[in-house]
Every structure is written in C-alpha cells, then in structure tokens.
Amino acid sequence: MTLESVQSSAVIEDNLKQFLLVLSVSLSVATLPQIFSWFRQIPYTLLLVIVGLGLAFVDVRLVNLSPELILSIFLPPLLFEAAWNLKWPDLKRDLVPICLYAVIGVVISILGIALGLNQLTGMSLTTAMLVGASLSATDPVSVTALFRELGVGSRLTTLMEGESLFNDGMAVVAFGFLVTLPLGTANLAIQSIFVQLFAVVGIGIAVGGLIGFGISYLTQRFDLPLVEQSLTLVSAYGTYLITEDLGGSGVIGVVTTGLILGNFGSRIGMNPRTRIIVTEFWEFLAFFVNSIVFLLIGDQIHFAILGENLGIIVVTVGAMILTRAIAIYALSSLSNSLANSSIPLQDQTVLWWGGLRGSVSIALALSIPAILPEREKIIATVFGVVLFTLLVQGLTVKPLLERLNLLGDQPLRQKYSEAIARLAALNRVLQYLNQVEKRPGIEPEFHRYQQTLVKGELNRLQEEIDQLQNEYPNLRNFTAQQLREELLAIEADTYAEFVKAGRLNQELSPFLQQDFPEDNETIQ
C-alpha cells in the first residue's frame, strides 16, 4: 500500500470519527427532554445551539463549518423537505405577501442594515451591504417546529416557511452580486443587473421544473417505494448541482422541484402508502441535518472574536430588528390592501419577531473571499447576530404567542384524535369478534368475556369523547375539518389513480375544494 493510500485511509477514518462524534452528541441532546422535563420548554434546535456553545466555551471543536458543507450538503435536503410539505393551495392563497416579504423584504433588509452600519460604525458601504445580504435570509425552523407543537394556526407556518424558502434564493442571488462590488468586478448597469437576476432565477425555475415534472411522470410507470424515495433524494441534490453549474440559483431550483413533487408528483405517481414512506423519510432527513447544523453553529462560536466586535454586532442587531419591523408591517399592509390578504396585526408581530437567522446566513458569510480585508469582521458579526436571533428571539417566541393569545389547542386535539382512533379500532375488533363467534375451538365463555371487555372500553371512550365535545365545543369544528380533509384526500387519490391508469390525461382539481369553502379561522 502506498503512502498516499495510507494517508487517504487515515483521513477517511478521522472524518468518520468526527461525524460519529457529532451525531452522538446530537442524539444525546435529543434524549434530554425525555429525561429532564424542564428541557421540554426549549425547542430542540435551540437546545442544540446551547450545547454547541457549551462545547465552544471549553474549546471543543467538533467539525469546522464551511460554505460548501452548508450550501452543497446540508441546504438541499432542508429546502426540499420544507417545499415537499408546503401545500400549494395554502401557498397560492398567500403568494402575494410571501413574494413581497421574500423580494422587497430582502432589499429593505440589505439597505437598512447597510445604512445602519455605515452611519453608526463607519463600516464601508460595500462591506456593510455584504453583512446585510448575509442576514437577509430567514431560517424559521425552530419557530415553525414550536408552532406545530403548540397548535398555532397553519397560516402562520405557511407564511414563515414560504417566505424563508423564497428569500433564501433571493438572498443568495443578491449576495452573489454584492460580493463582486469590493472586488471591482461588478457590472453596475441597471439593465445588466436585471438580466442577470432574471437569468439566475429563470434557470433555477426551469431546471427545477424540468426535473420535478420529469420524475413525476417517471414514477407513474412503476410502484417501487424505495426507488421513488431514492429518486426524490437524487432530485434534491441533482437539481442543486445542475442549476449551480448552469449559472442559476440552486436554492430556487430545489424549492421548485420540491413544490412540484410534493403537490403534483406525489399525487399522480405515488400511491398513498408510498407518499407516507417518502414523507417520513424526509422528516427523518430534515431532523438529522438540522441536528448537525444547529449543534455546529453553536460549536463554531469564538467568544474572544465576538467580544472584539460586540459594538458592531449590537448595531447590526438593532438595524436588523428595525428593518424587519418596517418590512413586515409595511408589506403586510400593502398586501392587505392589494390582495385582501387579511393578515392580522398579531400575526404580523409574530412574523417580525420570528424571523430568525441560521445556516444560510453563516454559509454566505463564510463564502466571502479571503482577500477582502474585513472578512473576519463580517463573519464575526453574522455569527453574533445569528446567535442573538436563535437564543433571544427563539426562546421568547412562545411567551409572545401567549401574550398575543395565539396559542392553539394542539394537546387537546391530540387527546381527542387518540380517543377517536381507539374508538374506531375497537369497533373493528368488535366486528371481528362477531364474525368468529362460532369458530370451532373457541369457548363461548371466553368469547363473551372478550366481547364484554371491548364493549366496556367502547362505552368509556364514547363517554370521554362526549365529555370533551361538551367542554370544548370547538372540537366539533375540528372534527368537521378532519372529515373535510379526508373527503378531499379520497377524491384527489381517485383522480390520481385514473391518471396513473391512463384513463385521464391530467389530474383534475378536487370538486369538493370548491364545494366546501375554506374558513381556517372558524375551524382552527
């Protein structure tokens, strides 16, 4: 064996040990809330950041983050999973405010932060705009996970996730242009800027659409869950790499592919069982990647460098919060006027305070060329601001929701759903007992005992359900909502079966979607 082969094997073994160490720490943190109930008050991702900070404080460095690691390995699955689970009807309903937040909001964020830093700290405008571009991408993973846990209305989740998906792409495109300014290679002609913008976005949408629709029609030809699951994984990474190689935005490409496969491909090319398998696979992958990313974010902090740039970080945090408030409140009012979005003030406040920054911001800062003299200052500033948003804003979102009376009744709904599920299951058990009553070898006394046992539990469950409905009348609306979703799913699956069998050329839009007007406010 040559010396190069031995060294290569040693590097691979060392990287594997580092990876296993990171994974072990992440999974250990995941078990903390199950052992110590107090930790359940902290969202899992924020708990990872805190543990990472503890490791950084004692100078234990697990793995060095790099822009390539975040943008090429971690980002595609996170984007795809969010896009896969984002329902097109929900996105379409709030497409106007989401686009306003993701496009104009990014511009407001960049300009506001840049002007604040330039005027208050004397930082050069080009450098300040790089800081603004890095911090214009939101990362609401912790907040949306908290929303689902507390039963907050799904519309808030859609607005936050939709904005994040789209503004990630805009932030990356803006950063790619702004990073050329201090290098003196930027073409400042307005026409050239718009041509470049449309080219980058257009290539991303075109490649994402081509791959998304291609895989959608390909999976119509076979029913192999593991193959279809693997195709979604290949499409996430393949779309990102191909789009970037063609000069487009890989972020926009992956989001486009995820939206198409989640809302179209999974309907026409996958049976319900396969859709569940693929969805659970992406939930696991998102949990896996987020566990690593948030732990490493905390672990990368250098407290001495943060202390040296504390003044700049404080100014940046203030400018970011102020520009976020201007963007959310002003653009929400504009959307309410133009598109009748009806986004209430309480929701706008949560959108403002819940605009956390995360992995994309760090990746953009780390990707700044080393020849720029203020690179380390930019990186320190971005890390400091990201840390503030995760720990301060992230940990105060729940009290804000309580103050604004936006907490839902998810625990109550879960208890009610479990009772309904057990009632349905035991009814099937009772039906089966009636069928096997005269089976040879079954003692009548044993059969009667089992029947009495099941009937007694059925009566108890029915009393529990009746009591819950009487004490919480809103549960009746919840039941109606569940039935409506079941009817829509059955209708949509039937159309998909017709398309898959070649008896329809395209999937029909659900008739019941129009027959049952949506009113999320009354059925939440």
Side-chain angles (χ1 to χ4, degrees):
M1 184 180 291
T2 64
L3 180 61
E4 289 79 6
S5 299
V6 173
Q7 290 176 337
S8 177
S9 300
V11 170
I12 293 174
E13 183 179 353
D14 186 57
N15 289 338
L16 181 59
K17 289 179 180 178
Q18 285 184 319
F19 172 74
L20 290 176
L21 178 61
V22 173
L23 187 58
S24 299
V25 174
S26 299
L27 295 179
S28 299
V29 174
T31 62
L32 284 178
Q34 307 304 318
I35 301 173
F36 305 102
S37 59
W38 182 84
F39 286 108
R40 295 172 190 169
Q41 304 298 319
I42 306 174
Y44 167 63
T45 50
L46 300 187
L47 192 59
L48 284 165
V49 174
I50 295 171
V51 172
L53 284 172
L55 294 174
F57 183 75
V58 296
D59 202 26
V60 175
R61 307 294 173 180
L62 299 173
V63 177
N64 288 324
L65 276 178
S66 68
E68 293 79 14
L69 185 67
I70 297 176
L71 293 176
S72 301
I73 299 178
F74 292 158
L75 193 56
L78 294 178
L79 291 171
F80 187 93
E81 188 270 340
W84 170 276
N85 288 309
L86 193 59
K87 296 179 181 179
W88 173 247
D90 295 339
L91 179 62
K92 183 173 64 174
R93 179 191 60 196
D94 287 315
L95 193 59
V96 171
I98 287 173
C99 288
L100 288 174
Y101 299 151
V103 179
I104 301 178
V106 166
V107 175
I108 294 174
S109 177
I110 294 173
L111 294 178
I113 293 174
L115 289 174
L117 286 173
N118 178 254
Q119 296 297 315
L120 298 178
T121 69
M123 183 181 290
S124 67
L125 196 57
T126 53
T127 302
M129 291 184 76
L130 284 178
V131 175
S134 299
L135 293 172
S136 61
T138 57
D139 186 4
V141 172
S142 306
V143 177
T144 53
L146 187 65
F147 284 178
R148 295 188 183 96
E149 179 185 341
L150 298 176
V152 178
S154 60
R155 190 185 186 193
L156 257 178
T157 303
T158 300
L159 286 169
M160 296 202 77
E161 286 190 335
E163 179 201 1
S164 178
L165 283 174
F166 288 104
N167 78 5
D168 281 354
M170 292 304 301
V172 172
V173 171
F175 181 88
F177 169 75
L178 292 173
V179 79
T180 62
L181 291 178
L183 298 175
T185 59
N187 188 343
L188 299 179
I190 299 296
Q191 183 178 0
S192 175
I193 293 174
F194 277 101
V195 169
Q196 181 182 354
L197 175 63
F198 282 113
V200 170
V201 174
I203 291 172
I205 294 174
V207 174
L210 185 64
I211 293 177
F213 284 114
I215 292 179
S216 297
Y217 289 111
L218 177 64
T219 53
Q220 278 187 289
R221 301 180 177 276
F222 51 80
D223 183 18
L224 299 170
L226 293 180
V227 174
E228 295 173 69
Q229 174 180 291
S230 302
L231 279 174
T232 59
L233 181 62
V234 171
S235 70
Y237 283 105
T239 301
Y240 185 87
L241 296 174
I242 293 172
T243 306
E244 289 290 321
D245 288 343
L246 293 176
S249 170
V251 173
I252 294 176
V254 174
V255 170
T256 303
T257 302
L259 283 172
I260 292 172
L261 288 176
N263 290 276
F264 177 73
S266 63
R267 291 293 180 185
I268 71 164
M270 300 179 184
N271 62 42
R273 175 174 170 270
T274 302
R275 283 204 303 273
I276 293 174
I277 291 174
V278 174
T279 299
E280 290 179 345
F281 166 75
W282 281 104
E283 286 178 359
F284 157 74
L285 197 58
F287 165 79
F288 181 79
V289 173
N290 274 317
S291 299
I292 296 174
V293 169
F294 282 91
L295 178 67
L296 293 182
I297 286 176
D299 188 52
Q300 300 300 299
I301 298 298
H302 294 271
F303 293 98
I305 299 177
L306 289 185
E308 294 172 4
N309 295 276
L310 188 58
I312 296 176
I313 292 172
V314 170
V315 171
T316 307
V317 167
M320 180 197 66
I321 292 176
L322 180 60
T323 54
R324 176 75 178 173
I326 293 172
I328 292 298
Y329 289 116
L331 296 176
S332 296
S333 298
L334 180 62
S335 178
N336 288 344
S337 300
L338 295 179
N340 195 24
S341 303
S342 301
I343 302 174
L345 191 61
Q346 295 97 321
D347 288 7
Q348 294 176 35
T349 302
V350 176
L351 289 170
W352 160 58
W353 192 247
L356 311 187
R357 270 61 171 179
S359 56
V360 176
S361 296
I362 289 175
L364 292 177
L366 291 173
S367 67
I368 294 174
I371 62 173
L372 291 183
E374 295 185 296
R375 179 177 185 270
E376 294 305 318
K377 183 182 293 185
I378 295 173
I379 293 175
T381 302
V382 171
F383 264 95
V385 174
V386 168
L387 194 60
F388 173 86
T389 65
L390 291 176
L391 296 184
V392 177
Q393 292 180 253
L395 291 175
T396 53
V397 167
K398 183 177 179 180
L400 178 64
L401 291 169
E402 293 173 346
R403 186 69 180 268
L404 297 174
N405 295 320
L406 290 175
L407 287 183
D409 52 359
Q410 185 63 26
L412 177 63
R413 291 186 179 191
Q414 182 63 30
K415 181 180 180 181
Y416 181 74
S417 297
E418 289 175 359
I420 292 291
R422 285 185 57 82
L423 187 72
L426 291 179
N427 270 319
R428 289 187 183 182
V429 170
L430 188 61
Q431 291 175 5
Y432 186 76
L433 277 172
N434 293 333
Q435 293 174 7
V436 300
E437 182 176 2
K438 297 182 179 180
R439 177 183 292 181
I442 296 180
E443 294 290 337
E445 184 177 349
F446 176 75
H447 183 273
R448 283 194 299 271
Y449 171 74
Q450 295 295 328
Q451 200 172 44
T452 303
L453 192 68
V454 172
K455 286 182 178 179
E457 182 64 12
L458 282 172
N459 291 333
R460 188 194 69 78
L461 285 169
Q462 189 61 58
E463 290 175 1
E464 180 182 342
I465 292 170
D466 292 340
Q467 182 179 356
L468 287 172
Q469 288 181 339
N470 291 331
E471 292 180 4
Y472 306 98
N474 285 339
L475 286 175
R476 299 183 187 275
N477 292 331
F478 173 57
T479 305
Q481 180 189 12
Q482 284 188 317
L483 176 60
R484 180 181 178 280
E485 291 175 352
E486 291 170 9
L487 296 176
L488 287 171
I490 292 171
E491 183 187 4
D493 287 342
T494 304
Y495 294 149
E497 290 174 7
F498 273 76
V499 172
K500 193 170 184 178
R503 297 164 66 184
L504 276 177
N505 292 328
Q506 61 181 4
E507 189 172 359
L508 300 176
S509 60
F511 167 76
L512 294 178
Q513 189 78 34
Q514 305 166 9
D515 188 50
F516 294 149
E518 290 197 28
D519 187 358
N520 290 326
E521 297 302 323
T522 61
I523 59 179
Q524 283 179 0

